[in-house]
């Protein structure tokens, strides 16, 4: 019997996170309750001006919930309001997730049609999730919304 690969790509947690106890408790409680009821996880939106700590909040919350996601935790930096960097496109974010999941670079779909490539990468990502990813639990823009496998998506806001 071989051990399953567990992916963990969260950035290091901050040691000085403060002033968001109520928001953190509400987020963790909502995830816990959805999992206990066997429901799809809610998408939480963290909104605010650039550089106010949205990513730090999302990463801190993710670290608080690592035990709830034994299959792993993935992080993709989408360069939302990063000065001098363009936001990461969905197809590129999916390529990063596929690579993190161990898909060899030569097997990740490529091509000139960005829409077709993104759709192919999303389909490949969903197949990596196995039987818990069903059409009613997955959307094209998110890798999965099943109770045991969560994904976040963000631009200038943070969705976790």
């Amino acid at each position: 019997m071989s051990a399953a690969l567990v992916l963990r790509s969260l950035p290091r947690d901050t040691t000085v996170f403060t002033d968001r106890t109520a928001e953190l408790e509400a987020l963790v409680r909502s995830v816990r309750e959805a999992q206990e009821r066997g429901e799809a996880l809610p998408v939480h939106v963290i909104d605010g001006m650039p550089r106010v700590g949205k990513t730090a909040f999302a990463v801190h919350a993710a670290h608080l919930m690592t035990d709830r996601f034994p299959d792993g935790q993935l992080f993709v930096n989408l360069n939302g309001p990063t000065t001098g960097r363009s936001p990461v496109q969905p197809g590129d974010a999916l390529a990063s997730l596929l690579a993190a999941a161990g898909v060899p670079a030569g097997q990740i779909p490529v091509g000139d049609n960005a829409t077709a490539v993104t759709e192919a990468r999303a389909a490949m990502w969903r197949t990596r999730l196995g039987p818990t990813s069903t059409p009613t639990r997955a959307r094209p823009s998110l890798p999965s919304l099943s109770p045991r496998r969560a994904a976040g998506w963000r631009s200038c806001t943070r969705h976790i």
Side-chain angles (χ1 to χ4, degrees):
M1 179 185 239
S2 64
L5 175 65
V6 176
L7 305 172
R8 299 188 195 292
S9 69
L10 292 177
R12 186 177 305 232
D13 196 7
T14 181
T15 58
V16 292
F17 192 86
T18 60
D19 293 336
R20 294 287 181 235
T21 303
E23 292 88 346
L24 280 167
E25 288 174 356
L27 189 148
V28 171
R29 182 177 51 254
S30 122
V31 169
R32 183 189 69 242
E33 290 171 356
Q35 285 180 318
E36 289 170 355
R37 290 188 303 261
E39 297 174 355
L41 295 175
V43 174
H44 294 271
V45 177
I46 304 165
D47 192 24
M49 299 294 293
R51 319 286 316 154
V52 296
K54 296 178 299 294
T55 298
F57 179 85
V59 168
H60 186 66
H63 277 283
L64 291 176
M65 295 185 284
T66 56
D67 62 321
R68 296 203 148 279
F69 300 96
D71 295 341
Q73 307 85 38
L74 297 175
F75 175 84
V76 177
N77 184 352
L78 299 178
N79 297 332
T82 306
T83 304
R85 297 190 73 183
S86 297
V88 174
Q89 297 302 306
D92 295 333
L94 285 163
S96 295
L97 289 168
L98 289 166
V103 175
Q107 293 179 15
I108 297 174
V110 295
D112 294 330
N113 183 327
T115 300
V117 168
T118 299
E119 289 174 6
R121 289 175 179 175
M124 181 179 272
W125 176 252
R126 285 189 298 270
T127 64
R128 303 283 300 177
L129 298 176
T132 62
S133 179
T134 65
T136 59
R137 289 187 170 172
R139 295 180 184 160
S141 62
L142 295 175
S144 171
L145 292 177
S146 69
R148 294 228 355 161
R149 300 172 192 251
W153 212 257
R154 69 168 179 83
S155 56
C156 287
T157 58
R158 304 298 189 257
H159 299 191
I160 58 172

